[in-house]
Amino acid sequence: MTASYLPATTDSIALASKAEDPFEAISILHKILENPSSSPDAIRIKEQAITILSDLFTQHNMAEDLHALLSQLRPFFAVIPKAKTAKIVRGIIDSVSKIPGTSDVQIALCKELVLWARAEKRALLRQRVETRLAALLVETKEYSEALALLTNLVKEVKGVDDKRLLVEILLLESKLHYLLKDRHKARTALTAAKKAANAVYMPPTQQGAIDLHSGILFAEDKEYTTAYSYFFEAFEALKAVEDPRAIFSLKYMLLCKIMTNQSKDVAGLISSKAGLKYFGPELNVMKAVADAHSNRSLRSFEKVLRDYRYQLETDPTIYNHLSSRYEALVELNLCRYIEPFSRVEIPHIAGLIDLPVDFVEKKLAQMILDRKFVGILDQGAGHIIIFDEPKKDALLPAALKTISSIGKVVDNLFVKSSKIVH
């Protein structure tokens, strides 16, 4: 009777490599893993087989087979060090993540691994898988479940003093609060992450991620100069290790230039040595936005937002800031068009700015409420009436200050007279 497994040797690995049919190679590799030997050489060969098998499954979009592979490997995990187990598990989860549209499979896989790690009392592995699970939940917008998981992880990991994992968890928590529009909690979590990061060496990828998120938070507070410096640091760190997030850092640097009215610097950054490396559709969009903005052309700006809508909407950070810049540009143009008039028809202004009458009317009403100019809307006649900016009376603040000072003197005299009487 022939054995159902193959010897865990380099010859078996070579046999799998020579197989022309990928499914034949997969069958050979499975038979190597079924070998019961747990000698050091056999373990080393099996690790190679797992790596090759994972790559084959990824190339052929076989996410469910990767899921099944992890279940098949559990007896093997019992005979290898925990550090190697963690490395293999992370590698297989990473392989699944490379296959498009597998978020649900990844979440199911992580939840299954968490239960197994808890049963096997592998706390460190469980914490890392739970961190990955939280990231996937954030990605799929399951914010409540992600927040509950991260809150427990922060408490637990602080106790075991794993600084790098703690930084990863706190950074993810900060990103989650940012998505929930709670900037105060996002900044608090980010500050805690930076504090933990200062106590240990951080790899460039993780330091770059911290700087990138710091820049996003500063940009939300309209502190674009500070945000630019963080994006620059993130770009340098991520570019050095060829991390794909480097292009996001560069895009956000260009965004900061646009938002600080330095659009003319955008072309220089794109044509620099670093910029040319990443030149493509992503940077073309930013260049088109910068050109429209530097020309102060509302029509050109609107055209760019319309033509590149898909590219812009896939990055909410870029889209939100450019939308606010568009609003500011509309207000600037409206102020310029109404400035010569004391009373003017709203359709006439809409025609000058080339925008719908309803939109212009609502925008003018909002600008009056925001005190961008002094005026009223005569909706019955379809007119806007603009008043001169009221001059501030310099005497009034001085008079109020004098009256306040006299009041304090009278109060003090009253207190002193009361003491004399009594």
Side-chain angles (χ1 to χ4, degrees):
M1 183 176 177
T2 58
S4 61
Y5 56 83
L6 288 173
T9 61
T10 52
D11 290 340
S12 297
I13 294 289
L15 184 64
S17 302
K18 289 175 184 176
E20 293 182 3
D21 182 2
F23 293 99
E24 184 185 347
I26 289 168
S27 176
I28 292 168
L29 292 165
H30 271 302
K31 287 180 179 179
I32 294 171
L33 293 176
E34 287 168 7
N35 190 303
S37 175
S38 57
S39 67
D41 287 340
I43 288 172
R44 180 175 54 79
I45 294 297
K46 286 180 182 180
E47 287 172 13
Q48 289 181 32
I50 292 166
T51 303
I52 298 168
L53 199 53
S54 298
D55 290 341
L56 284 169
F57 285 148
T58 306
Q59 288 168 19
H60 295 86
N61 296 335
M62 299 167 71
E64 291 296 342
D65 291 86
L66 280 165
H67 189 168
L69 177 62
L70 266 177
S71 300
Q72 180 191 343
L73 291 174
R74 286 181 188 177
F76 179 61
F77 292 153
V79 298
I80 63 172
K82 290 183 178 180
K84 281 190 177 181
T85 299
K87 183 181 176 182
I88 292 169
V89 167
R90 287 200 301 271
I92 293 175
I93 294 173
D94 287 341
S95 295
V96 178
S97 68
K98 292 174 185 175
I99 301 172
T102 57
S103 295
D104 292 341
V105 176
Q106 291 177 66
I107 289 170
L109 179 59
C110 287
K111 286 182 176 179
E112 187 181 307
L113 278 169
V114 166
L115 292 174
W116 174 76
R118 185 174 279 118
E120 294 289 319
K121 294 183 172 54
R122 300 193 179 209
L124 291 175
L125 177 60
R126 176 181 56 77
Q127 288 161 2
R128 292 196 174 277
V129 175
E130 282 183 331
T131 304
R132 185 61 173 267
L133 174 60
L136 288 165
L137 291 171
V138 171
E139 189 181 307
T140 53
K141 299 183 179 180
E142 299 288 341
Y143 297 142
S144 299
E145 191 178 348
L147 186 58
L149 189 57
L150 287 170
T151 303
N152 290 332
L153 274 171
V154 170
K155 293 176 184 175
E156 195 176 340
V157 175
K158 277 182 179 176
V160 297
D161 201 33
D162 186 341
K163 295 292 185 187
R164 285 189 187 174
L165 182 58
L166 181 61
V167 169
E168 188 178 342
I169 294 165
L170 288 169
L171 183 58
L172 185 56
E173 185 184 16
S174 178
K175 290 176 180 178
L176 175 55
H177 285 306
Y178 168 71
L179 291 169
L180 293 171
K181 308 296 183 186
D182 191 337
R183 280 188 284 175
H184 174 70
K185 286 186 178 179
R187 196 170 285 283
T188 302
L190 180 62
T191 303
K194 287 181 177 179
K195 185 179 177 182
N198 288 335
V200 66
Y201 168 76
M202 299 301 297
T205 50
Q206 207 159 3
Q207 187 58 53
I210 293 170
D211 289 335
L212 182 60
H213 187 58
S214 298
I216 289 171
L217 289 184
F218 274 106
E220 279 293 315
D221 293 334
K222 312 298 181 188
E223 296 180 36
Y224 293 110
T225 304
T226 308
Y228 180 88
S229 64
Y230 275 108
F231 290 139
F232 178 78
E233 291 295 331
F235 178 64
E236 290 294 312
L238 297 171
K239 179 188 70 172
V241 292
E242 298 186 349
D243 190 294
R245 289 173 294 180
I247 193 168
F248 289 100
S249 305
L250 182 55
K251 279 170 59 181
Y252 297 156
M253 285 165 63
L254 301 178
L255 174 69
C256 290
K257 288 293 183 183
I258 294 168
M259 299 302 287
T260 52
N261 297 316
Q262 300 176 66
S263 301
K264 291 180 180 178
D265 294 346
V266 168
L269 281 170
I270 291 174
S271 60
S272 66
K273 185 180 177 182
L276 288 171
K277 182 181 178 182
Y278 296 96
F279 190 75
E282 300 275 359
L283 298 190
N284 278 336
V285 175
M286 300 309 294
K287 188 177 184 303
V289 171
D291 290 342
H293 186 265
S294 61
N295 294 331
R296 299 289 178 189
S297 170
L298 186 62
R299 192 172 297 177
S300 299
F301 201 87
E302 191 177 28
K303 185 176 184 300
V304 169
L305 292 181
R306 186 174 60 251
D307 292 349
Y308 295 100
R309 187 176 185 85
Y310 174 75
Q311 290 93 328
L312 292 170
E313 284 187 343
T314 52
D315 191 332
T317 302
I318 296 279
Y319 187 74
N320 292 339
H321 285 284
L322 290 183
S323 296
S324 70
R325 178 54 63 177
Y326 173 72
E327 293 291 323
L329 208 54
V330 170
E331 291 179 4
L332 188 68
N333 277 266
L334 283 173
C335 286
R336 191 175 69 190
Y337 286 128
I338 66 173
E339 190 176 7
F341 303 101
S342 58
R343 185 184 188 104
V344 63
E345 293 179 344
I346 295 172
H348 176 65
I349 297 296
L352 290 174
I353 202 170
D354 197 21
L355 287 172
V357 175
D358 289 346
F359 175 82
V360 171
E361 186 175 331
K362 288 177 183 176
K363 193 66 187 173
L364 288 169
Q366 183 186 332
M367 290 170 69
I368 291 170
L369 292 172
D370 293 341
R371 300 188 178 183
K372 298 292 174 69
F373 65 91
V374 182
I376 57 171
L377 287 175
D378 184 349
Q379 289 181 310
H383 293 174
I384 180 168
I385 303 166
I386 302 101
F387 304 117
D388 292 332
E389 194 75 30
K391 293 180 180 178
K392 292 183 179 178
D393 189 348
L395 290 175
L396 183 61
L400 290 172
K401 189 176 180 181
T402 303
I403 292 168
S404 176
S405 298
I406 291 171
K408 289 178 183 177
V409 170
V410 171
D411 289 341
N412 287 334
L413 288 172
F414 177 76
V415 171
K416 288 180 180 180
S417 64
S418 297
K419 289 180 180 178
I420 292 169
V421 170
H422 294 293

